[in-house]
Amino acid sequence: MNEPVLNVLIADDEIFIREGLKYIIDWRALGFDICGEAQDGMDALEKMASLHPNLVLLDIQMPLLSGIELIQKARENGYEGEFIILSGFSDFQYAQAAIRYGVSCYLTKPIDETLLTQAVLSAKEKILSSLRTKDSYYRYMMKARNTVLADLLGNAQPDINIHYEEFGFTFPVYQIILYENLDTLSRFHFAEVFAAVCGPNDSFELLTLEGRNLLLLKGNSSLTRFRTFLSRCQGRLQKGSPLDSVFLVCGRPVYSLKEFHPSYLECCLLMERRFFCQPSQHAVSPKDLPAHLHENAFADSEHAQRYARKLSDYIKSANRKMIAETLDELESRLLSCPDKTAALKHFLADILLQVRSCVTQSYSQVKEFLCSNAALLEQVEQRSTLNEIMSYYTEQFEIMINAVVGNADTESVFENILDYIEHNYNEPLKLETLAPLFGYNSSYLGKLFTQRMGKNFNSYLNEIRVQNAARMLLETNRAAGAIAALSGYRSVDYFYQKFKQEFGCSSAEYRKKQGQDRGLPPVL
């Protein structure tokens, strides 16, 4: 490994001596750069504080502060580098004082080139040895600190035999963050993004514990920067953003070392809540835990059989409304279920297989439209969240209904499509995804829309969206941007364009005028 280039400061009140010292030896060849020079003792002390030289060459007799006084004050200020004294005096008392303050060498003028070279090389060896010792100690402390931190997180009580302040655990508040990279191919790595945005590094710790990625925030300023960072990421969340490829668990702030362990356990419990997150939700905190968990078992075979029987009956009768209500009830019950994600997936897969079995027993033609049991199980297992599994349920049940109903009255089916749009306009609806749910070809459904409604699918969908947006403008205090998102628009500018196209005015003008006409209080 290459040695570092060291810095030397030259201090002498005579300029021609300073100039001579610059060139009497080849400093660069000896591994030094001349970082500065000083003309008196006080000037030298100030430049030592700002330049942090590894080595100081100084005359013992200088104005304002003598060489010995300068060395004394520098040591008192914590300077740990090396000194070489140059003097026209050979008085033994000066040499004694120099030795007392750890001076590397005491040379008398005129300076002999060979003796100076030897003195500089001797000082260099001491400096490098000190740097190696510090680096080794730092590495040891870092390794030990990670071990100490892991013990704090994994054990109920701090060890009374450990002096935690020696490892830097002196902050008034901490916060534990667990994170999981959802996309291993993403160009973003959460720890790197956070470190780049929220440094300095001494305000947080990064480690892996029990296979989990953990970020420990230290101090109020670090917690504040993290909240700001998270708020900005969520406000700009889009495909490919740093937060789009990560799931975060944010523990509650802790104010003592004995709170580390319970906070970590709570974070581990929260990590399971990813299963209940919505598609755009990338972070959970203790407020997302249900107030009460089921005391009795819920995700068991008895409940699976009950829900399978109800859903099968509704599928056979093509009762989409009751299917939706039953799935909402099931999802609500699962939100308070304490079981692990793997157990919940097994429970949901059991329901789907029982529904398939029950429906195909009565309507054998349904088998032609469904994949195998093994494929159904794989599809459930591959989905990360309850929301994704419920969507898959809905898709499969719609296929079953269409297979059961067969040539249903076109008018009633079309009414069901309109009802579906009315209740799901805020979703990213497209003909290509909507048509298969109702047993149509997307091209045919597009033509049917134009014939029945006198407008194409996108025009109808935009009409539904802006009408509901107009309603929310008058009934809520939400900002137009938030209403745009709730109405299904990914782009606020596109929402403004469609709204003005529909009503002939901006959303702000509409809210103001319609609110006044209806006698509503102004929105602040």
Side-chain angles (χ1 to χ4, degrees):
M1 185 174 66
N2 294 331
E3 293 180 346
V5 177
L6 306 176
N7 290 324
V8 60
L9 174 71
I10 298 174
D12 197 293
D13 57 329
E14 297 185 53
I15 187 171
F16 71 90
I17 292 181
R18 296 200 302 271
E19 289 298 315
L21 289 171
K22 292 180 185 179
Y23 303 104
I24 189 173
I25 58 176
D26 187 346
W27 288 102
R28 190 67 184 180
L30 296 178
F32 285 85
D33 273 341
I34 298 174
C35 64
E37 53 185 283
Q39 61 186 1
D40 59 56
M42 191 60 70
D43 184 28
L45 189 63
E46 292 173 355
K47 286 183 176 170
M48 287 176 66
S50 62
L51 300 176
H52 307 290
N54 304 103
L55 173 64
V56 179
L57 260 68
L58 73 160
D59 186 22
I60 204 163
Q61 291 289 346
M62 290 189 295
L64 301 184
L65 283 178
S66 71
I68 297 300
E69 291 172 330
L70 169 61
I71 295 170
Q72 180 182 1
K73 289 186 177 295
R75 293 302 190 203
E76 290 172 354
N77 292 339
Y79 178 70
E80 297 179 354
E82 296 296 318
F83 291 99
I84 295 177
I85 285 183
L86 310 174
S87 173
F89 299 87
S90 57
D91 193 309
F92 182 66
Q93 289 183 341
Y94 285 116
Q96 282 185 313
I99 293 171
R100 188 164 60 248
Y101 291 113
V103 172
S104 291
C105 191
Y106 185 101
L107 300 177
T108 57
K109 298 176 181 178
I111 303 302
D112 181 82
E113 177 183 344
T114 301
L115 292 178
L116 179 58
T117 300
Q118 292 174 351
V120 169
L121 290 175
S122 176
K124 176 185 177 181
E125 184 55 40
K126 292 180 181 179
I127 294 167
L128 292 177
S129 176
S130 176
L131 290 176
R132 285 191 291 267
T133 300
K134 287 181 180 179
D135 183 63
S136 176
Y137 178 74
Y138 175 76
R139 292 174 183 273
Y140 166 77
M141 287 299 290
M142 287 297 294
K143 184 177 181 179
R145 183 166 61 181
N146 285 343
T147 302
V148 168
L149 177 55
D151 287 342
L152 273 174
L153 294 164
N155 295 302
Q157 292 294 330
D159 190 333
I160 60 173
N161 298 310
I162 295 177
H163 299 287
Y164 291 99
E165 63 278 1
E166 293 181 2
F167 295 93
F169 295 105
T170 57
F171 290 85
V173 62
Y174 299 85
Q175 185 176 15
I176 296 170
I177 310 294
L178 297 183
Y179 65 94
E180 182 177 304
N181 292 308
L182 305 180
D183 182 3
T184 56
L185 299 178
S186 172
R187 60 192 177 94
F188 296 107
H189 190 284
F190 173 73
E192 295 174 356
V193 172
F194 178 77
V197 174
C198 298
N201 290 341
D202 60 356
S203 65
F204 61 89
E205 301 276 353
L206 290 167
L207 72 153
T208 301
L209 183 63
E210 298 177 327
R212 298 182 176 92
N213 296 315
L214 188 144
L215 169 68
L216 177 68
L217 305 178
K218 304 186 294 185
N220 286 305
S221 60
S222 183
L223 269 66
T224 300
R225 285 196 298 271
F226 177 78
R227 286 194 295 268
T228 302
F229 167 77
L230 194 60
S231 175
R232 288 176 179 172
C233 285
Q234 289 176 321
R236 302 173 186 172
L237 188 60
Q238 56 186 355
K239 192 67 177 175
S241 71
L243 201 60
D244 183 54
S245 59
V246 73
F247 176 69
L248 299 173
V249 166
C250 309
R252 66 184 83 239
V254 297
Y255 300 92
S256 67
L257 299 183
K258 66 181 180 181
E259 296 179 61
F260 274 41
H261 179 65
S263 180
Y264 173 66
L265 293 181
E266 185 177 56
C267 286
C268 293
L269 176 62
L270 279 168
M271 187 57 80
E272 289 286 328
R273 302 305 292 181
R274 181 193 162 200
F275 183 67
F276 300 102
C277 287
Q278 296 302 307
S280 60
Q281 187 179 0
H282 288 261
V284 296
S285 63
K287 65 180 178 58
D288 296 302
L289 283 171
H292 302 286
L293 295 176
H294 292 309
E295 293 183 3
N296 299 320
F298 173 72
D300 54 20
S301 58
E302 181 181 344
H303 285 90
Q305 185 176 6
R306 183 166 67 85
Y307 276 100
R309 185 170 57 249
K310 289 173 63 175
L311 289 167
S312 299
D313 290 341
Y314 296 142
I315 290 170
K316 293 174 185 179
S317 59
N319 194 334
R320 294 179 175 86
K321 181 175 182 295
M322 289 308 300
I323 288 175
E325 289 184 6
T326 303
L327 292 182
D328 285 343
E329 176 197 320
L330 174 59
E331 186 170 357
S332 178
R333 291 292 302 274
L334 288 175
L335 286 173
S336 300
C337 187
D339 291 11
K340 299 288 186 181
T341 298
L344 296 177
K345 284 187 176 183
H346 179 79
F347 171 72
L348 291 166
D350 188 17
I351 292 176
L352 184 57
L353 291 180
Q354 289 190 53
V355 169
R356 183 186 190 280
S357 175
C358 183
V359 174
T360 54
Q361 282 178 7
S362 301
Y363 301 89
S364 58
Q365 72 271 23
V366 175
K367 290 182 180 179
E368 300 177 19
F369 301 91
L370 299 176
C371 54
S372 65
N373 284 350
L376 288 177
L377 287 172
E378 184 179 358
Q379 288 294 325
V380 172
E381 185 60 35
Q382 286 178 350
R383 283 158 170 76
S384 302
T385 66
L386 178 59
N387 180 271
E388 293 174 356
I389 295 176
M390 290 291 104
S391 296
Y392 183 63
Y393 264 25
T394 302
E395 175 189 322
Q396 292 301 305
F397 294 164
E398 194 60 45
I399 292 174
M400 294 180 194
I401 289 174
N402 289 327
V404 169
V405 175
N407 297 321
D409 177 63
T410 304
E411 186 67 31
S412 63
V413 175
F414 192 80
E415 289 299 321
N416 287 337
I417 294 175
L418 296 181
D419 183 69
Y420 185 90
I421 295 172
E422 178 65 32
H423 289 86
N424 297 275
Y425 61 88
N426 58 329
E427 298 293 335
L429 299 182
K430 294 181 180 179
L431 269 177
E432 293 78 11
T433 54
L434 186 63
L437 295 180
F438 293 87
Y440 282 106
N441 172 275
S442 60
S443 178
Y444 175 76
L445 182 58
K447 293 178 182 178
L448 191 61
F449 242 99
T450 304
Q451 292 173 2
R452 296 293 183 87
M453 307 305 296
K455 60 190 72 175
N456 64 33
F457 170 79
N458 288 331
S459 297
Y460 179 78
L461 179 59
N462 273 310
E463 182 178 306
I464 294 294
R465 284 173 169 172
V466 295
Q467 290 290 346
N468 279 280
R471 173 182 56 78
M472 285 188 278
L473 282 168
L474 299 180
E475 293 179 358
T476 73
N477 288 337
R478 292 189 178 99
I483 288 177
L486 291 171
S487 301
Y489 289 97
R490 297 292 182 91
S491 167
V492 176
D493 291 336
Y494 187 67
F495 163 70
Y496 288 150
Q497 175 189 335
K498 289 300 178 183
F499 191 94
K500 190 166 187 177
Q501 183 178 322
E502 179 71 18
F503 292 101
C505 62
S506 69
S507 57
E509 292 168 344
Y510 179 88
R511 173 178 261 171
K512 181 177 181 181
K513 183 177 184 303
Q514 293 297 322
Q516 290 174 345
D517 291 346
R518 297 172 61 184
L520 299 174
V523 177
L524 301 178

